[in-house]
Each structure stands twice: as C-alpha cells, then as structure tokens.
Amino acid sequence: MEVGQRNFAGSKTRRTLQRMRSVLSDLLVMKSPLVVFVALLAYLPLPLIVEGKESRCGYVLLVMATLWLTEAVSIPVTALLPVILFPIAGVLTAADVGRSYLSNTSLLFIGGLVVAIGVEECHLHKRVALTVLRRVGADPKWIMLGLMLPTWFLSMWISNTATASMMIPIVEAVLVQIRHASDHSQGSGSKSDTEGSTQTEDEPDEKVTFLPNNHTPADRHEESFRVEIHPSKPEPLKRPSGEAQSQTSSERKKNKKKKLQEEEGEEGDQKAREAQHCRLAKALSLCIAYSANVGGIATLTGTPPNLVLKGQVDMFFDKYGGSSPLSFVEWMGLGVPLSLLLLGFCWLWLVLVFMDRCCGQVGDDQKQAVRTTIQEEYRAMGPISFSEVETLVLFVFLALIWITRDPKFVPGWAVLFEDGYISDATGAILVAMLFFILPARKPRVFCWRSQKVVTEVQAEGYVPLLTWKRAQEKLPWGIIILLGGGFALAKGCKISGLSLWMGQQLSAFGDLDPWLLNLIICTAVAMATEVTSNVATATLLMPIVAELAVRIGVNPLYLMSSSALATSFAFMMPVATPPNAIVFSHGHLSIPDMAKVGFVMNLVAVAVLTLAVNTWGDAIFGFSTLPDVMTNVTLRVTSPPAP
C-alpha cells in the first residue's frame, strides 16, 4: 500500500513538473509581447507618482531603452513609440514628433545611401578593390593590406555592410587558389619522391611516363602532366637460402619502418598545411570586418552613430541659441587620421597574431595562383563602362561639394547663398537625384551615334543610372526610422527638461579630470556595444553626456563625439556589427577567435580615440573650452541666488 502511494505521489509530481515545463515553454514562445507588456506597466509608477514632464518623458525613455536592449520587437519598430507615447504623455505634439523623423540629418543619410546604391549597382566598388589588389604583392600580409585599403575607403562612403558583403567573396576566391596551389605543390613533391624511390622485391616494376596534359582556360590550374603507368611482367624470383633469406627479411622490416615514418611525416605536413591555411583564412576574414568598422568613423555618413551625433549636436546647440560646429569637412579632420591609425594597427596586430608563422612559408606557386585569380576577376569585369565613369564623376563631385561647402580656412561655396539655408544634405540630395536622371548607356548623339550604340539603345531604350524601384529595395528604411526615433527621443528629453535634470544628477563626476571621465565613458560604451545596437546606444547616451559636459565645463561635442565613435569599436562579437556577422557566417572563425583578437582591438581603439580627441580633435573643435553660447546659461543655472 505504501509503495503504491509513493508511486502515485511520484507520478503526480512528474505530471506537475511536465505541466510547469509546458506552461513555461508556452510563455517563452510569447516572450516578445510579454516583454512589451511588462515594460509598459513596470515604469508606470514613475509618471503617476512624480509630477511633471520630466517624469513622463523618463517613462518613455525607460520603456524604449528596455525594448532596445532586449530586442523584444524590431529595433526600428521600437523607434516608432515616440509617435504614440509623447503626444499621449503631453511631452510633444504629434506634429513636432513627426518632423523629427525626416530631419536634415535623415535627408543627408538618404542622399548618401542613394549614391552608395548607385556605386554598388554599376560594380564600381569591386573594380576599385580589384585594382588595389593588382597593385600589391602576392605575399599574404600584402594581400591582407590590399584587401583592407579598399574596404576601409569604400566604408567611408557606402554602407559597411555592403562593403563587407562585396569583399568577402574575393577573400574566398583568394583562399581557394592558395589552397589549390598548396595541394598542387605537395602532390608534385610526392610524385617526385615516388619516382626516385627504390622498389622492394615484392612490388612489381612499373614504367612511369609523364605526358603533357591538354587544358582549357577553365582548368588551367590543374596538374600540368598526367601519369601513365605501364606494369611490366615481373621476373620469377629465386628463393634465397639461409643468410640471404634472413637479410631479405631484415631489409623488409627496415623498409616497412621507413614507409611508416614517411606516412607519419606526410600526415604531419598535411596537418601543418591545414593549420597554416586556417590561420590565413581567419586573418583575411577579420581584416575585412575590422577595416569596414574603422572606415565608417572617418566621415559623417560612414556609419549611423555618426549621423545620430550630427542630429543631436544640431538640436543641442540650437537649444542654447548657437549654430552647430559639426560639418562634414571638420569631422573628416578628426575622423580620417583616427581611422588611418586604427587601420594601421589592425593590420599590424593581425599580422602579428596570425601570420608570424605562415608568411615565410608561402611558395611561389601559391603566390602565382593568387595573382592569376585576381587578374581573372579583373578581366571578367571587362573594360570600364560608361555607367562606371558617370558614377565615379558623380561620386567625386559629391565629395567636393561636401568638402568645399564651408571649409572654414577659406570661404566655401555656401557663401553664395543666404546664411543657414544650405547644408550637407543639399548637395547629397542633388547628386542623388542625378542618379535617377543621367542615362546608364551612351546616348545616341554626336560621336556616340554608332550602329552598336543605336542597336543597344533601341533594344533597351532610356535607362537611368538608378531606378526608384531598385533604390527603394536597397534603402535601409529601418535605420532611417531608427534615426528619426532617436531624434524624437532627444527632442522630448530637451523640451521636457529631463536631459537637464540628468546633467544635474551627474555633476558629481565634475571632480574627475575630463580626459579620465572621457576614457571611462568610451571604455564602457565600447564594451556595451558588443551586445547592444550601436545606434540605440548612441541615441540613449547623447543627451546625457551632452548635459554632463556642460556641467563640468567642457565642450559638449567632446563627450558626445567620443561616445559616438566608441560605439563603432565593436571587434569582439559576431552580433556586434553587420560586418562581424558577415565574416563569421563564412565559417572560418569561432567566437573565441573573435573575442581574443577583438579584446585587444577594443582597448587599443579606445586609447587611440582618447589620444585623438585630446590632441588634434581639441585643436579642431576646441573640446576643452565651453562654447560662449553656453557659458552664460551655465553661470545662471549654477550660481547661487542673490541674498
């Protein structure tokens, strides 16, 4: 009876546990709506208990931060919450919120993206990359530098995701040819050894003939010879007697031992070649991700966190009645040298970690295979096309427009118009529109009126460099919405007074030296962005560090630009940035590989950033000095009331 009761109790307990597991699994399936529901309810006591716009804006900020960090719903979807919550909470009107989603900075981003899509459509970026690779040597460390330079340059102007996606197939082609040449070299050596070796008595004599093989261009890298083996009739062996038979047995044992040693040596050589190839594959994969990440920080349009910075700097300085000190050319003065320094360290660090034991072991046949692959890839593109020439001209034209608009040291072309009416977005949208207007083929006019051109034009008609259908397919609308949501959130923090309150609470950090405070913030941001969205991190930080900078008496741009740049220093995890995820997906890397190499990169990047903002960054922007438009306001806020 007791045994039956115990069995019944045990089965009941098991059923209870099974039900609990079933309920938990059902809850996990619905975790996204549950997290949203909990986030909306958990922070409700804040606006209900604390009166004022600050608490209501804080509620929206906390809800959005929770959803961004947990990614319960898509990050751009979370960025739409201000459209709903700010008008309901009485922080901003719907019209004010709506204007934030298509600001001047968003238009600058859209213009730059359209130009980048035009470059991708005509494959100009691939031609640039292959041209650089043709100029560098075939040594692995120079191949790596040849891959990094175009990746770095292209990431300054087009999406680092698109750049990494374009460059990684080139890496794969190079690796395949190096592997093929290595196997070919080893195979030739083995045949040579076999040909020169002495046969034992128990193996028949064979006549080995090397004949030239006929190749097509498609298999030009295959064996240059084929082997024909003609077995000859073995002669009858005389049975040895006595001493001769024992000598034969001894020789057979020696030969067997020698053969076993040779097989072990070949197996060891094969493992060594595999290890060498694996190290090379890791190095070339990481160099693409790293150069794409550091290339984006060189320009304002290179990476979304820089655009978040631009938009929030404009709003913050407008709050104090001043004009934004951030322009395209001035940012390049800070970003390009910083990016170049990081690119150089990336190359040296990857060479040191992965290539110290493999660069000197690459044979001439492997180098020749790499050269041939790159030449074939370049020849396959054919001569430079009319659309590529047009795109290159428009690309250079846009760069000149941005650089010469207001170069500060001389008057720019913006002085031809009323002050404040022209921005970098003006030039970006102008060039973007030209991509939808200019023809992709030579028009049928003047000296271009040849029969070939006439036939092509009649067959296809007028086709612009870029069609709207193609552009809207490739435009990352989610990032555009995310930028708008961030600007709306920053505007709400400013209007409600929440950012001012947060700055007051953080004024205790004023006892630290500004450079030390900046170093702490950058290190924390660089580590946090390994597991969070860099755009969301930059959006949440900008209003806080801006008010903190004013409180400690330094230029807000000092902490804001450092924080924005630090969000791009994500070298450790595959999920940190799209380029990291792209190279990781090709299977050459593991998470420990990326983490070990990337940890050092994170620390060095933060150190170089600290050097940059405290030296030439300070010379360009005056980071150490609070702007005049903020000095009087700060004195009024911090000075004690008159008796």
Side-chain angles (χ1 to χ4, degrees):
M1 178 67 93
E2 293 180 359
V3 174
Q5 289 178 346
R6 284 198 299 269
N7 290 337
F8 177 76
S11 62
K12 186 177 180 180
T13 304
R14 284 194 297 273
R15 286 196 298 271
T16 303
L17 291 174
Q18 288 174 355
R19 289 195 196 97
M20 290 177 63
R21 280 195 291 267
S22 177
V23 171
L24 287 175
S25 62
D26 292 340
L27 288 174
L28 287 175
V29 170
M30 298 296 293
K31 63 180 179 180
S32 293
L34 284 175
V35 170
V36 175
F37 182 72
V38 170
L40 290 171
L41 289 182
Y43 303 113
L44 266 180
L46 177 62
L48 294 177
I49 296 174
V50 182
E51 292 292 333
K53 284 187 176 182
E54 296 93 336
S55 61
R56 297 196 293 272
C57 182
Y59 167 76
V60 178
L61 175 65
L62 290 172
V63 170
M64 292 181 67
T66 301
L67 297 183
W68 270 337
L69 291 173
T70 59
E71 295 190 32
V73 293
S74 179
I75 289 177
V77 174
T78 302
L80 291 170
L81 277 177
V83 179
I84 305 168
L85 296 182
F86 274 162
I88 293 175
V91 177
L92 290 174
T93 65
D96 287 337
V97 175
R99 280 190 287 268
S100 300
Y101 281 85
L102 202 60
S103 64
N104 178 68
T105 306
S106 298
L107 290 172
L108 171 64
F109 186 48
I110 292 172
L113 283 173
V114 170
V115 174
I117 293 169
V119 171
E120 293 177 48
E121 285 296 296
C122 70
H123 303 293
L124 178 62
H125 58 324
K126 185 175 181 180
R127 188 176 294 276
V128 170
L130 290 174
T131 300
V132 174
L133 282 170
R134 291 173 68 202
R135 296 292 182 267
V136 300
D139 191 283
K141 61 177 177 293
W142 300 121
I143 291 173
M144 185 166 69
L145 184 62
L147 290 167
M148 294 179 75
L149 285 173
T151 305
W152 169 80
F153 177 75
L154 292 169
S155 294
M156 293 168 58
W157 310 98
I158 68 177
S159 162
N160 55 9
T161 306
T163 304
S165 299
M166 182 271 299
M167 293 298 296
I168 201 68
I170 299 177
V171 170
E172 293 295 327
V174 168
L175 288 172
V176 166
Q177 291 307 317
I178 291 177
R179 166 65 69 86
H180 181 85
S182 176
D183 293 343
H184 170 71
S185 174
Q186 181 65 20
S188 299
S190 298
K191 284 173 187 167
S192 232
D193 295 340
T194 304
E195 187 182 7
S197 62
T198 305
Q199 294 174 342
T200 58
E201 293 182 9
D202 57 345
E203 295 174 346
D205 293 334
E206 293 175 342
K207 183 180 179 182
V208 182
T209 306
F210 290 90
L211 299 176
N213 204 357
N214 296 323
H215 292 293
T216 62
D219 59 0
R220 59 169 56 88
H221 298 300
E222 298 296 329
E223 287 272 349
S224 300
F225 296 92
R226 67 178 187 270
V227 182
E228 289 190 2
I229 302 176
H230 308 283
S232 58
K233 185 177 180 181
E235 295 181 359
L237 296 176
K238 295 181 180 180
R239 185 177 182 84
S241 60
E243 183 180 351
Q245 186 173 2
S246 80
Q247 288 178 353
T248 303
S249 177
S250 175
E251 287 175 0
R252 286 179 178 175
K253 289 180 180 178
K254 289 180 180 179
N255 289 337
K256 187 175 181 180
K257 184 177 181 181
K258 182 179 179 181
K259 186 177 180 180
L260 189 61
Q261 290 175 347
E262 288 175 354
E263 289 177 354
E264 290 177 352
E266 288 177 4
E267 186 178 354
D269 292 342
Q270 179 67 22
K271 289 182 178 179
R273 289 197 307 275
E274 288 292 337
Q276 173 185 328
H277 185 79
C278 182
R279 292 168 68 84
L280 182 61
K282 291 177 181 180
L284 296 186
S285 298
L286 285 175
C287 82
I288 297 299
Y290 289 177
S291 51
N293 287 335
V294 301
I297 68 175
T299 61
L300 278 177
T301 56
T303 184
N306 290 3
L307 289 162
V308 172
L309 169 69
K310 168 65 176 170
Q312 298 213 18
V313 165
D314 291 349
M315 283 193 294
F316 191 77
F317 276 78
D318 181 66
K319 167 187 172 182
Y320 289 94
S323 59
S324 173
L326 199 58
S327 67
F328 197 90
V329 65
E330 286 180 308
W331 181 262
M332 287 187 70
L334 170 65
V336 172
L338 171 63
S339 182
L340 270 174
L341 282 174
L342 290 175
L343 183 74
F345 179 81
C346 284
W347 179 67
L348 290 173
W349 177 236
L350 291 175
V351 168
L352 180 65
V353 172
F354 291 108
M355 296 191 174
D356 57 335
R357 286 178 283 173
C358 69
C359 284
Q361 300 176 10
V362 176
D364 293 336
D365 51 351
Q366 293 171 301
K367 294 179 181 179
Q368 184 57 41
V370 173
R371 292 192 195 97
T372 304
T373 301
I374 294 170
Q375 291 291 345
E376 286 178 353
E377 288 281 340
Y378 189 82
R379 281 197 298 269
M381 294 194 70
I384 189 167
S385 64
F386 182 74
S387 61
E388 286 179 82
V389 173
E390 279 186 301
T391 302
L392 180 61
V393 171
L394 290 175
F395 182 81
V396 174
F397 179 52
L398 176 60
L400 289 175
I401 285 177
W402 278 339
I403 292 171
T404 59
R405 180 181 69 87
D406 186 17
K408 301 298 182 184
F409 53 89
V410 293
W413 59 267
V415 299
L416 301 174
F417 306 92
E418 291 190 46
D419 187 31
Y421 277 73
I422 300 294
S423 71
D424 289 327
T426 309
I429 296 298
L430 169 64
V431 175
M433 288 187 66
L434 291 176
F435 273 89
F436 298 101
I437 298 172
L438 296 178
R441 293 182 177 274
K442 291 180 181 179
R444 184 185 166 189
V445 293
F446 306 121
C447 59
W448 290 331
R449 192 181 174 85
S450 65
Q451 185 60 40
K452 181 180 178 182
V453 173
V454 170
T455 304
E456 290 175 351
V457 171
Q458 287 176 346
E460 297 190 13
Y462 162 75
V463 178
L465 282 171
L466 188 62
T467 62
W468 178 250
K469 181 180 179 181
R470 187 60 177 160
Q472 69 176 358
E473 288 175 355
K474 301 197 75 172
L475 274 173
W477 297 105
I479 296 294
I480 297 169
I481 293 173
L482 180 55
L483 286 174
F487 298 151
L489 185 60
K491 189 172 185 179
C493 290
K494 180 188 75 173
I495 297 298
S496 67
L498 178 62
S499 58
L500 181 62
W501 178 84
M502 287 190 293
Q504 292 172 345
Q505 306 309 308
L506 294 171
S507 58
F509 289 101
D511 296 335
L512 294 175
D513 288 336
W515 74 267
L516 180 58
L517 176 61
N518 185 64
L519 178 63
I520 294 171
I521 292 174
C522 290
T523 304
V525 170
M527 295 303 175
T529 196
E530 294 288 350
V531 293
T532 60
S533 165
N534 53 2
V535 181
T537 303
T539 301
L540 293 172
L541 277 176
M542 290 299 109
I544 300 173
V545 297
E547 291 292 349
L548 175 59
V550 173
R551 289 289 163 182
I552 64 176
V554 298
N555 194 324
L557 199 55
Y558 178 52
L559 297 183
M560 293 177 79
S561 61
S562 299
S563 301
L565 287 167
T567 60
S568 296
F569 298 157
F571 302 103
M572 292 176 58
M573 301 298 291
V575 297
T577 63
N580 288 11
I582 289 169
V583 300
F584 182 79
S585 66
H586 279 70
H588 299 303
L589 295 163
S590 65
I591 291 179
D593 290 331
M594 297 189 73
K596 286 186 291 187
V597 181
F599 180 73
V600 176
M601 279 300 309
N602 276 16
L603 296 181
V604 171
V606 170
V608 175
L609 173 60
T610 304
L611 171 68
V613 295
N614 288 288
T615 52
W616 68 85
D618 189 19
I620 295 172
F621 294 105
F623 283 148
S624 58
T625 306
L626 190 66
D628 293 337
V629 294
M630 300 176 186
T631 303
N632 295 332
V633 176
T634 306
L635 289 175
R636 287 200 305 269
V637 172
T638 57
S639 58

